[in-house]
Amino acid sequence: MQRFAPDRRRFMRLLAGAGGALATGLTPAATSAPLSKPIPSTGEPLPVIGMGTWITFNVGDDPRALDVRAGILRAFFAAGGGMIDSSPMYGSAEAVLGKLLRRLDYPPTLFSATKVWTRSGDDGPAEIAASQALWGLPRMDLFQVHNLLAWRAHLETLQQMKADGALRYLGMTTSHGRRHDELERIMREQPIDFVQLTYNIANRDAERRLLPLARERGIAVIANRPFGGGALVDRAQRHPLPGWAAEIGCGNWPQVLLKYIVSHPAVTCAIPATSRVEHMQENMGAAHEPLPDAAMRERMAADFARL
Amino acid sequence: MTEWLTYSASDFIPFSRGIYRRLFELYNARYWPAVAIGLGVGLAALRLCGGRGCSRPGLLMAALGCCWIWIAWAFFSAAYAELNWAGPYVGGAFALNGLLLLAASASARPRPPSTGRDIGDPIGYGLLVAGVVLWPAALLAFGRDWRGLELFGTSPEPTVLATFGLLLLLRPRGVWAPALIPGLWSLLAAVTLRVIDEPLWPVLPAGAAAFVAVLVSRVLRRRRSTRIETNS
């Protein structure tokens, strides 16, 4: 199976994103390629729809479930998907990803992201090495400190790895709107490339301080829980699609929810998770023009709040 | 500290119902001889405890301890650990309880003839039946594939349920000690099953509550009879 060498992958990715960022931060890399946005610290383009793996890729050795996840990854890559995000906390998800990436001829758009999640800074390097071994990639693109756990010690480790060329980007994560004050302090004081936080049409706390700060500080933003753990899709799908959905190129509610998120100028990508191929295809449909403008975004949020 | 209040149980359960059910299908297929032996132990326990009091109480308690140690090793530390990082820790607790049951097997005894009518015996037998027969039957009724049934002796939930029953029937000395971990697991399992929408989630806490109620009633009855003896 032919795989891209790291440098070639990187070159291809940069080539795919050539053309520079538009004023909106959007880069239509090619006619059929998904929209991407530049990672502020390097300008490298990243497709706006990525993939999360919480629960959905924790399938152990189940051959039937592994085949389904291979199909999901194929659909993701076929649609030009980029970031895949995981964590040692997600059970077998990293091992499953590693197993399937070895099976698939993954493309240069793959942007590997995982986390370090241990209370002890001393245990960080061993956990990081274990994650790298499970993914089986020559080098991880992004390591993040999971839920700010022992973040000072882990940040030191990740900074050293980045300086040594063993890692391309580093970041911090929170979810469910927790510890935003502490995250804000870190964003102001520490040189990080990415933050990951919960942001969706029903949870807009990040719009007040964190998203403007990310723009100001040049930090890429990954939006997790775009569907609020599935609850937002369940709530929305009891209602017909609004008329304006067609205006922003959405054929279903998940695309509406995703376009709301990735159209925020500070958000670099959203990472919906799914265990079904057809849902992956739906999600990736959100990575295409047109995206809603500011006025439409307000209307979307107001209409959704009334559902 | 208040941050913990923002967490919900679902933040800690990293697998779906479908994958949890498949886990048992794969586990049963891999260890089918052990599954058959475990079920055989359960059926033997039903037979041995079917009359007035249990015969071979020490052997039954020791076999139960071995089942707990098997579940600790094969289920929690291997199969379940693939899906949940907490698996080995739960496995450690199950192994410890297996050792406590083995230790308790020395003092297990059938119902003493002097105890008279004790509601604990029918409740204990009912819990044993629930663990060995009713739990898998209910899973079938709720649509579980027969290959993925959870069975006494090799799967935790039915074994815990039956353990409450056998502890009531066999009355080992210090019965609380080997009941603490089953009690804790009843709560954790109920939360897990509730999060993944498994309909049997209330059964284990109900079994634990029945167990505690019987033990409390036995203690109160013992105190009352001691008072009567003292007064007379």
Side-chain angles (χ1 to χ4, degrees):
Chain A
M1 229 180 289
Q2 176 69 42
R3 281 191 208 140
F4 287 86
D7 288 343
R8 187 172 170 218
R9 286 180 54 211
R10 210 59 60 208
F11 173 75
M12 295 290 284
R13 188 184 295 165
L14 288 168
L15 195 66
L22 300 176
T24 57
L26 296 172
T27 308
T31 325
S32 60
L35 292 169
S36 58
K37 290 189 181 187
I39 298 167
S41 60
T42 60
E44 176 183 343
L46 186 64
V48 295
I49 303 297
M51 187 185 89
T53 55
W54 167 245
I55 293 180
T56 54
F57 271 64
N58 184 17
V59 301
D61 273 335
D62 182 350
R64 194 193 300 169
L66 283 170
D67 285 345
V68 174
R69 272 63 187 178
I72 289 167
L73 281 179
R74 276 192 207 98
F76 180 65
F77 290 137
M83 175 179 287
I84 298 177
D85 178 71
S86 193
S87 169
M89 188 203 174
Y90 301 171
S92 61
E94 287 185 303
V96 166
L97 283 169
K99 201 176 291 179
L100 295 178
L101 289 175
R102 279 190 286 278
R103 193 197 289 187
L104 302 172
D105 189 11
Y106 61 85
T109 50
L110 170 63
F111 187 98
S112 53
T114 193
K115 307 183 187 86
V116 52
W117 175 68
T118 171
R119 290 197 176 280
S120 161
D122 293 341
D123 294 341
E127 192 187 74
I128 287 167
S131 287
Q132 285 176 315
L134 288 171
W135 281 73
L137 298 174
R139 183 172 62 165
M140 294 296 291
D141 292 308
L142 168 64
F143 259 101
Q144 305 149 95
V145 181
H146 195 139
N147 283 347
L148 308 186
L149 194 62
W151 68 265
R152 284 185 191 281
H154 295 320
L155 185 59
E156 211 171 287
T157 303
L158 297 179
Q159 281 170 334
Q160 189 58 54
M161 285 176 65
K162 190 178 168 187
D164 294 342
L167 175 66
R168 300 181 60 231
Y169 298 102
L170 53 86
M172 294 279 162
T173 81
T174 66
S175 67
H176 300 72
R178 297 182 190 113
R179 299 174 76 178
H180 277 189
D181 289 345
E182 194 173 357
L183 182 61
E184 183 180 345
R185 273 199 304 280
I186 295 169
M187 289 169 71
R188 287 190 190 284
E189 294 166 8
Q190 303 294 335
I192 56 175
D193 302 298
F194 279 82
V195 286
Q196 184 180 139
L197 44 80
T198 294
Y199 176 59
N200 59 49
I201 202 166
N203 185 344
R204 301 170 61 192
D205 286 355
E207 285 179 0
R208 286 186 295 121
R209 298 194 326 263
L210 295 182
L211 294 183
L213 180 60
R215 287 194 87 183
E216 180 191 322
R217 298 276 297 157
I219 299 171
V221 175
I222 304 165
N224 62 32
R225 296 178 60 80
F227 303 143
L232 300 182
V233 177
D234 292 343
R235 176 174 150 193
Q237 281 181 335
R238 290 195 291 266
H239 305 272
L241 267 183
W244 45 253
E247 293 174 37
I248 56 170
C250 292
N252 52 61
W253 275 109
Q255 289 175 357
V256 168
L257 298 173
L258 290 172
K259 283 202 173 189
Y260 176 83
I261 295 166
V262 302
S263 60
H264 191 289
V267 173
T268 313
C269 75
I271 47 170
T274 180
S275 52
R276 293 172 62 172
V277 172
E278 62 270 29
H279 288 172
M280 172 56 74
Q281 288 161 340
E282 276 181 5
N283 293 344
M284 293 310 291
H288 294 274
E289 296 273 21
L291 288 186
D293 59 16
M296 177 60 86
R297 295 183 80 253
E298 283 309 315
R299 186 176 172 191
M300 292 166 76
D303 285 358
F304 189 85
R306 279 193 289 271
L307 293 180
Chain B
M1 288 299 283
T2 52
E3 186 194 328
W4 282 103
L5 299 175
T6 67
Y7 284 87
S8 66
S10 60
D11 295 331
F12 301 97
I13 311 297
F15 47 79
S16 64
R17 183 174 67 176
I19 292 301
Y20 185 70
R21 290 182 172 189
R22 279 285 290 163
L23 172 71
F24 286 100
E25 285 182 34
L26 297 170
Y27 173 73
N28 289 344
R30 181 169 183 188
Y31 295 116
W32 65 264
V35 173
I37 291 169
L39 185 59
V41 169
L43 294 172
L46 284 177
R47 184 168 170 74
L48 291 171
C49 295
R52 290 178 58 82
C54 293
S55 52
R56 319 284 297 270
L59 184 65
L60 271 180
M61 191 63 90
L64 182 64
C66 292
C67 291
W68 275 74
I69 290 168
W70 170 267
I71 293 169
W73 174 73
F75 186 77
F76 281 115
S77 299
Y80 186 80
E82 274 202 36
L83 300 184
N84 192 339
W85 55 269
Y89 300 101
V90 181
F94 265 63
L96 174 64
N97 207 59
L99 294 175
L100 288 172
L101 289 165
L102 284 175
S105 66
S107 62
R109 57 195 190 281
R111 183 162 68 90
S114 60
T115 52
R117 284 195 323 175
D118 177 13
I119 189 75
D121 283 342
I123 288 178
Y125 196 74
L127 288 170
L128 180 60
V129 171
V132 177
V133 179
L134 298 182
W135 184 277
L139 291 179
L140 273 179
F142 281 113
R144 182 79 66 98
D145 188 302
W146 67 271
R147 287 166 293 199
L149 288 182
E150 300 165 33
L151 295 169
F152 172 86
T154 46
S155 292
E157 273 72 76
T159 306
V160 167
L161 203 51
T163 297
F164 287 133
L166 282 170
L167 286 173
L168 291 180
L169 290 165
L170 301 177
R171 303 158 189 263
R173 227 169 266 130
V175 65
W176 291 101
L180 283 176
I181 289 170
L184 277 175
W185 181 250
S186 295
L187 297 177
L188 286 173
V191 169
T192 302
L193 298 179
R194 178 77 189 85
V195 166
I196 62 174
D197 282 333
E198 280 288 3
L200 294 187
W201 68 269
V203 174
L204 275 185
F211 174 81
V212 170
V214 169
L215 284 196
V216 169
S217 80
R218 280 178 177 171
V219 169
L220 292 177
R221 205 165 56 156
R222 206 176 306 134
R223 280 188 187 163
R224 205 164 41 236
S225 59
T226 309
R227 252 200 324 268
I228 291 166
E229 279 171 22
T230 311
N231 291 340
S232 61

